[in-house]
Amino acid sequence: MGIIEKMRLDGKKGFVTGAARGIGKCTATAFAEAGADVAVVDMDISAAEDTAREIAASTGRKVIALRCDVTDEAQVQAMVDEVVKQLGGLEFYANAGICINAAADEMTYAMWKKNLDVNLNSVFLTDTIAGRYMLAHGGGSIINTASMSAHIVNVPQLQCAYNASKAGVIQLTKSLSVEWAKRGVRVNSISPGYIGTDLTLSSETLKPLIAQWNVMAPMGRLGKPEELESICVYLAGDTSTFTTGADFRLDGAFICF
């Protein structure tokens, strides 16, 4: 069997949170294109259902949509149970997050807590709930979404809560990878740079920032959501069985200087 065949995800089952649009949608699409059955998980169930139908039509895979508030433990448990029930198993999962920009001295505790709840606490919940199933059923792969913001303090925007939450994701990833290394569950993270999702590109608030980011960027541009797909497919599959506890920066060399 050649390397391309080995990279395929035929027979594997998984889910992606925040998958109705943007990076999550691209990731879910890539998994299905590689042969996996996938659950599109999002708070916006209508958009998730549209995305699931679109991916199923283009790939021929079984793709379902599930609504879940990933900050709610009971909902995450119910979602994982439903993925297993409808898809017949669970071998991988990936997640997405949010960003709230605010100066630290103006940030309310509620704003801080929301960022941490969605970007870090929900990752712990989903990692451990999905992880328990994987540990009991032969292993699997968890792909956490961190950020280059875990490695640097971004400018000119002010986002201390986001930066802290994403740094926490990387350390959580490393911790779980060590705990589960001998038990068949691999845990890795990806750290995207600035990515030109539809939401980002259409934001009037972000347009002035994008111009500044591009001046600072060695490649002079934003990344594209589809430029994150291949690493996720690699991490979900069987060619990455010796890869765990790693963080993959996908930032066009943005933080190299």
Side-chain angles (χ1 to χ4, degrees):
M1 183 184 295
I3 188 62
I4 301 302
E5 290 75 19
K6 291 178 183 178
M7 289 285 289
R8 289 194 57 82
L9 303 178
D10 297 313
K12 293 191 180 296
K13 325 288 184 180
F15 67 92
V16 182
T17 64
R21 54 182 62 84
I23 293 172
K25 179 179 179 179
C26 273
T27 305
T29 301
F31 289 146
E33 288 175 344
D37 294 333
V38 184
V40 174
V41 179
D42 205 282
M43 282 284 286
D44 186 343
I45 188 59
S46 178
E49 288 171 343
D50 289 343
T51 294
R53 283 191 292 266
E54 179 183 332
I55 297 173
S58 65
T59 65
R61 303 307 309 169
K62 183 173 184 179
V63 185
I64 63 173
L66 297 172
R67 185 188 184 280
C68 181
D69 178 353
V70 291
T71 67
D72 184 292
E73 183 177 9
Q75 289 193 37
V76 174
Q77 182 66 66
M79 179 270 292
V80 170
D81 290 345
E82 195 64 22
V83 169
V84 172
K85 177 182 176 181
Q86 291 199 41
L87 298 186
L90 175 61
E91 286 88 21
F92 67 86
Y93 110 85
N95 53 49
I98 64 167
C99 181
I100 298 175
N101 293 336
D105 56 325
E106 299 173 0
M107 180 178 294
T108 65
Y109 180 61
M111 293 165 66
W112 168 272
K113 190 172 184 296
K114 181 176 181 180
N115 234 313
L116 270 290
D117 277 348
V118 175
N119 288 350
L120 181 56
N121 295 340
S122 73
V123 175
F124 169 78
L125 279 178
T126 317
D127 281 7
T128 52
I129 290 172
R132 289 186 195 109
Y133 177 87
M134 294 176 181
L135 289 166
H137 294 83
S141 175
I142 292 172
I143 307 163
N144 291 327
T145 302
S147 172
M148 72 172 182
S149 305
H151 301 270
I152 62 171
V153 176
N154 305 71
V155 293
Q157 72 274 24
L158 305 175
Q159 53 180 53
C160 67
Y162 181 81
N163 299 345
S165 69
K166 292 302 187 178
V169 168
I170 290 179
Q171 194 64 6
L172 175 63
T173 297
K174 292 178 179 179
S175 299
L176 295 180
S177 73
V178 171
E179 287 192 35
W180 296 343
K182 292 181 179 179
R183 301 175 67 188
V185 176
R186 296 178 294 108
V187 190
N188 295 285
S189 61
I190 62 171
S191 282
Y194 295 120
I195 303 298
T197 63
D198 290 341
L199 187 63
T200 297
L201 295 175
S202 64
S203 170
E204 293 299 324
T205 302
L206 292 179
K207 283 181 180 178
L209 294 177
I210 291 171
Q212 295 182 60
W213 297 338
N214 287 345
V215 168
M216 298 167 65
M219 296 183 74
R221 67 173 178 87
L222 302 180
K224 302 174 184 178
E226 55 266 30
E227 290 178 306
L228 309 180
E229 293 176 346
S230 60
I231 188 63
C232 292
V233 171
Y234 162 72
L235 290 172
D238 295 334
T239 58
S240 58
T241 49
F242 198 56
T243 304
T244 193
D247 178 64
F248 293 83
R249 287 193 295 105
L250 310 160
D251 64 354
F254 195 96
I255 73 169
C256 286
F257 62 92

